[in-house]
Amino acid sequence: MTTIEEQPKIKLGDYIIIQRQKYTKLQKFGHLDATAMLGKDQLELKALLDQPYGATFKMCPKEDLGKSHRGRQRLNTLELCSELEMRNIREVLGISQSGEDNRHIKDDGDSQALKPEDIEQLRDECSESTKIIEKIVENSKTFHSKTEYSQEKYLKKKEKKYFEFVQIRQPTIRLITEIYYRQDAEKVMGIRVDTLSQLISYSGISAFGNYLLYESGSNGLLPAAFLNSMGANTEALLVHMHPGNVPQKQAVLALNLPEEQLNRCISVNIYSVLREFYQGTSDTTKESEVAEPSTKKQKLSEEESAPEETQDEKLPETSTKPTPQKWRIENQRAVDLIHAKFDSLVIASKEHPSNLVKELLPFVKPSRPVVIFSLSKEVLMELYVELKTGSKVTNLHLTSNWLRMYQILPNRTHPEVNMQANSGYLLTGYTLK
């Protein structure tokens, strides 16, 4: 297991993940003056430069930014610290007394002697969250009457509000997927981390081979996951087809992949590359011959009969050939791979995938996996029947993932009350000759 000192260093231009307890946020460390917002706290990031990933920092108040629509905001600097400073709040406060049950506790609003103004003053005076929580507990009339479990729940709630430590983590596919899904699941087509792992597993992505991916809007999550599975300095190539003019590559950039690995992802517009594949490109242009007017012909004949006059020789004009645009180069690379055929086909589309499968399936080698993702079960059922009646794909399976998170705590381990809904459906199979 690598220590923190052996971890990669944070550099300018990197994407980082800021974690505060269970909350994570993806942020770009673009320049030394960059800042990040965590709730009502604004963080200066310049202290992160050349620090290892996984390091823990303490938020030190620097300036009060006043009130906004979010409430009172504070500007904080980050100071490197050790994880030993983050001790258990119950042990720090030395709480040993608790009640047997909560039947006599009433929520009448008078249990806390401190007013909001007093707590705000405490936040200004105290730099440690433990001291603030200690004062809040001391002025609570009902805290020591609560059960031990209720006390822990109360302390966690207060610690979450006043916690002053953050950890800087290196972006991974799992963390990026969880962040995107939590922020807006529709932007990643509702793909959870378990569904993404199934997509990677069924498609057979490895360090060797050529792979074809079509996706119509996942914030670059699918190409990022495939590039991550292919690895750096390998032979694998990925053709990423998309319906728009510009591919979505937010997640790809967030992984901080090396340039060599990024170049092995060929992003092309599906309509443009298929047009070039079927029609080709002609470099030579036909010149149209136009008949000259009779008056001009007569004038030329008179000039030919006249004595020739010596004219200065003109220097030949140097014709500069324009450099081809990047999308043309990518199209040509993709066309070459289409001719060679692919080792896997993955389609994750918001539209009906039937026409996409008909068009892209001939580009896949025999006995290779085909994976189609959709949020609609009925769409994949229609495609299932269509492929079943044909003779191009076999071993068809239509599956759906079911994920439920568990709370793991002593004597109260149970499934979480709220669980995530369905994360789409997968239709898998293997190509035939």
Side-chain angles (χ1 to χ4, degrees):
M1 185 176 179
T2 58
T3 60
I4 291 182
E5 288 75 13
E6 297 173 350
Q7 292 287 341
K9 305 293 183 182
I10 302 172
K11 298 176 293 184
L12 279 177
D14 283 0
Y15 281 85
I16 59 174
I17 289 181
I18 305 173
Q19 181 170 358
R20 183 181 182 183
Q21 290 189 321
K22 292 184 178 181
Y23 178 76
T24 52
K25 181 179 182 179
L26 182 65
Q27 179 76 29
K28 184 176 182 180
F29 183 33
H31 49 86
L32 288 176
D33 296 329
T35 59
M37 290 298 300
L38 282 183
K40 298 179 182 179
D41 294 308
Q42 186 174 354
L43 310 180
E44 291 183 347
L45 303 180
K46 59 184 177 182
L48 305 182
L49 187 63
D50 294 330
Q51 297 294 339
Y53 281 102
T56 304
F57 294 84
K58 184 178 180 180
M59 298 189 303
C60 301
K62 179 182 179 182
E63 182 184 351
D64 193 345
L65 300 178
K67 290 187 177 181
S68 67
H69 65 283
R70 291 185 174 184
R72 189 178 178 186
Q73 296 185 352
R74 296 176 179 83
L75 180 64
N76 299 272
T77 58
L78 296 178
E79 291 184 2
L80 186 65
C81 64
S82 63
E83 294 185 3
L84 298 176
E85 297 183 30
M86 297 188 298
R87 294 180 293 172
N88 190 327
I89 186 68
R90 191 178 184 87
E91 296 176 359
V92 173
L93 299 181
I95 299 170
S96 58
Q97 182 183 354
S98 61
E100 295 182 358
D101 53 49
N102 299 329
R103 69 177 69 182
H104 301 297
I105 298 176
K106 296 181 180 180
D107 187 11
D108 53 4
D110 296 330
S111 59
Q112 181 56 249
L114 292 176
K115 297 180 180 179
E117 295 81 10
D118 300 330
I119 297 176
E120 287 295 331
Q121 187 177 356
L122 276 175
R123 296 192 69 173
D124 295 335
E125 295 174 354
C126 303
S127 59
E128 297 181 5
S129 61
T130 53
K131 295 181 179 179
I132 301 174
I133 298 173
E134 185 179 7
K135 290 290 184 182
I136 293 174
V137 169
E138 287 177 359
N139 288 273
S140 176
K141 301 175 183 178
T142 58
F143 180 81
H144 294 288
S145 303
K146 295 181 179 181
T147 62
E148 184 179 349
Y149 297 149
S150 297
Q151 287 179 352
E152 281 193 25
K153 191 174 181 180
Y154 181 85
L155 291 174
K156 281 187 176 181
K157 183 180 178 181
K158 297 302 177 184
E159 190 179 24
K160 181 180 179 181
K161 187 174 182 179
Y162 304 110
F163 196 69
E164 74 269 31
F165 296 98
V166 294
Q167 187 180 25
I168 308 302
R169 304 185 63 179
Q170 191 171 12
T172 61
I173 279 295
R174 181 182 65 83
L175 291 174
I176 293 173
T177 306
E178 290 175 353
I179 291 172
Y180 281 172
Y181 190 87
R182 185 191 70 240
Q183 289 177 346
D184 192 350
E186 292 184 0
K187 288 187 177 180
V188 291
M189 299 174 62
I191 298 177
R192 280 195 315 249
V193 64
D194 57 318
T195 307
L196 184 62
S197 63
Q198 293 289 311
L199 275 165
I200 296 171
S201 177
Y202 281 128
S203 58
I205 301 293
S206 66
F208 303 95
N210 303 326
Y211 304 97
L212 178 58
L213 165 68
Y214 174 85
E215 57 96 15
S216 57
S218 65
N219 265 7
L221 188 62
L222 289 178
F226 285 13
L227 279 175
N228 184 70
S229 300
M230 287 158 51
N233 301 315
T234 59
E235 301 176 4
L237 292 172
L238 173 67
V239 174
H240 169 216
M241 292 186 178
H242 56 88
N245 295 327
V246 180
Q248 295 183 359
K249 286 192 172 183
Q250 291 89 334
V252 177
L253 298 175
L255 280 178
N256 302 323
L257 297 175
E259 193 68 24
E260 172 272 333
Q261 198 168 352
L262 292 174
N263 290 335
R264 286 189 283 115
C265 177
I266 307 168
S267 297
V268 291
N269 177 275
I270 184 171
Y271 308 108
S272 175
V273 72
L274 291 181
R275 187 187 308 115
E276 185 166 337
F277 174 75
Y278 288 114
Q279 299 178 1
T281 55
S282 58
D283 297 333
T284 59
T285 57
K286 296 181 179 180
E287 297 179 359
S288 58
E289 297 180 359
V290 182
E292 295 177 334
S294 58
T295 55
K296 190 173 182 181
K297 285 184 178 180
Q298 185 178 1
K299 187 175 181 181
L300 285 174
S301 60
E302 291 176 356
E303 288 179 358
E304 288 176 0
S305 60
E308 297 181 356
E309 296 179 358
T310 59
Q311 298 179 353
D312 297 335
E313 294 182 359
K314 295 182 179 180
L315 295 174
E317 296 180 358
T318 57
S319 59
T320 58
K321 192 174 182 180
T323 57
Q325 296 179 345
K326 183 180 178 181
W327 67 270
R328 289 189 179 276
I329 299 174
E330 297 286 274
N331 274 7
Q332 189 56 50
R333 291 178 64 193
V335 167
D336 294 340
L337 291 176
I338 290 175
H339 284 293
K341 294 196 173 182
F342 297 96
D343 296 294
S344 178
L345 170 63
V346 179
I347 297 175
S349 61
K350 297 178 181 178
E351 60 270 29
H352 201 296
S354 178
N355 291 332
L356 293 168
V357 173
K358 289 179 183 177
E359 193 64 43
L360 301 179
L361 198 59
F363 304 148
V364 186
K365 298 175 184 178
S367 302
R368 297 299 193 274
V370 177
V371 185
I372 300 104
F373 170 83
S374 179
L375 288 170
S376 173
K377 178 177 64 175
E378 289 74 18
V379 166
L380 292 184
M381 288 175 66
E382 293 176 8
L383 185 59
Y384 176 91
V385 174
E386 187 178 331
L387 293 175
K388 197 76 173 176
T389 55
S391 58
K392 295 181 179 180
V393 183
T394 186
N395 197 25
L396 288 166
H397 292 281
L398 180 58
T399 59
S400 173
N401 287 334
W402 193 79
L403 178 70
R404 191 167 191 179
M405 306 300 291
Y406 274 72
Q407 171 186 289
I408 308 297
L409 289 172
N411 298 325
R412 51 197 189 279
T413 297
H414 59 78
E416 290 188 357
V417 178
N418 297 323
M419 62 174 290
Q420 297 166 342
N422 183 271
S423 179
Y425 301 87
L426 291 175
L427 178 61
T428 60
Y430 288 87
T431 56
L432 296 172
K433 287 187 178 180

